[in-house]
Amino acid sequence: MTMGRRTLLLLASILVAAAGTALLWVYVRNADERAQQTWGQQVWVLRATAAIDLGAGPDAVRASTERVAVPRGLAPAGAISDAGQLVGRTATAPVLPGQFLQFAQFDTVPSTTGVSKGMVAVSVTVADPNRVAGLLHPTMTVDVYYLAGTGDARAKALQGSARLLLAGVRVLAVGNTSVIRNAQGHPAQVGTQAGVAAAIVTLEVHPQEAPELMMADTIGSLWFTVPGDGVTPHQNDGYTGIQLPVGNS
């Protein structure tokens, strides 16, 4: 009887040990599979072989990096595997040799013109008093008034008074100071903006407003006002635009 109990206990302990071993084997196998997924699988990552400067684009990145295979667990979040993924982006922070490249180090390049979608830029020449000199700057919103000149066949009918031409116009540039910025937020030196006289002001208008603004600048003079909060532009008895001369009238 005693021997039978001992035998049963021995068999039970053997079964428990076997079950424990089996469970341990399953755990180790699953852990090994997880490790293989994390560390065994290789992914391609760009690594800097030379310093990458602030503002560098895809071409500069391509010349200063190499593709290396690293375990997935070592790849940083947002890792870049090819310089072609950086089209339209520039470096927003310096990258040191040996660093892996990440999307967080690059940002999209802003508009190279600063002009909003659906709008156009047009430049006019405005004398110092006319453009509230000393106050005007890019990104400011102004109301544009037209003062008829002697070259305007309608000048007499307008009685020489100033008329509201355009309201709520965004200023893009005053001389060589413009709204254009690079990816780092610094003024972008592009085009012919260097050395532009401060009297030349670039405005953002709707395409259909541009010809009217050009004509007004040619046959009369333009004046800007900077409205404060709660100010509504004066419409001058409902007149909202200049009367351009037609033919010999």
Side-chain angles (χ1 to χ4, degrees):
M1 189 71 174
T2 302
M3 289 295 295
R5 289 180 179 176
R6 289 179 179 178
T7 302
L8 290 175
L9 289 174
L10 179 61
L11 290 174
S13 63
I14 293 173
L15 291 174
V16 169
T21 302
L23 291 174
L24 179 62
W25 180 82
V26 171
Y27 173 81
V28 171
R29 181 178 179 182
N30 290 339
D32 182 65
E33 289 178 353
R34 289 194 299 269
Q36 285 293 326
Q37 292 175 356
T38 302
W39 301 99
Q41 292 184 358
Q42 303 286 301
V43 294
W44 290 103
V45 180
L46 284 185
R47 182 173 63 191
T49 56
I52 298 174
D53 296 329
L54 195 72
D59 292 339
V61 169
R62 189 174 288 108
S64 303
T65 57
E66 63 179 356
R67 292 184 75 211
V68 294
V70 299
R72 183 179 297 277
L74 291 179
I80 298 171
S81 60
D82 188 271
Q85 295 174 289
L86 295 175
V87 173
R89 294 173 176 262
T90 59
T92 55
V95 180
L96 300 178
Q99 279 188 296
F100 292 136
L101 272 63
Q102 303 169 255
F103 280 107
Q105 299 165 324
F106 297 82
D107 199 358
T108 55
V109 180
S111 168
T112 56
T113 64
V115 183
S116 303
K117 183 178 180 180
M119 305 290 278
V120 298
V122 59
S123 293
V124 294
T125 302
V126 188
D128 286 351
N130 304 36
R131 59 181 172 83
V132 287
L135 182 62
L136 195 69
H137 61 77
T139 71
M140 177 176 281
T141 298
V142 299
D143 296 327
V144 182
Y145 286 80
Y146 167 73
L147 184 62
T150 56
D152 188 348
R154 305 286 184 176
K156 186 176 180 180
L158 294 176
Q159 300 175 347
S161 60
R163 306 289 177 171
L164 179 64
L165 181 62
L166 298 172
V169 178
R170 178 172 173 249
V171 178
L172 294 179
V174 180
N176 60 358
T177 304
S178 76
V179 299
I180 304 174
R181 295 290 185 270
N182 58 24
Q184 293 74 49
H186 303 305
Q189 299 298 315
V190 299
T192 58
Q193 73 180 72
V196 178
I200 299 178
V201 180
T202 304
L203 304 174
E204 181 182 79
V205 298
H206 291 286
Q208 63 268 28
E209 296 170 337
E212 189 174 16
L213 192 59
M214 296 173 193
M215 287 296 297
D217 186 38
T218 301
I219 62 180
S221 59
L222 299 175
W223 290 72
F224 297 163
T225 62
V226 180
D229 292 339
V231 174
T232 301
H234 183 49
Q235 297 290 342
N236 283 30
D237 299 325
Y239 186 84
T240 58
I242 63 173
Q243 299 291 326
L244 301 179
V246 179
N248 297 321
S249 60

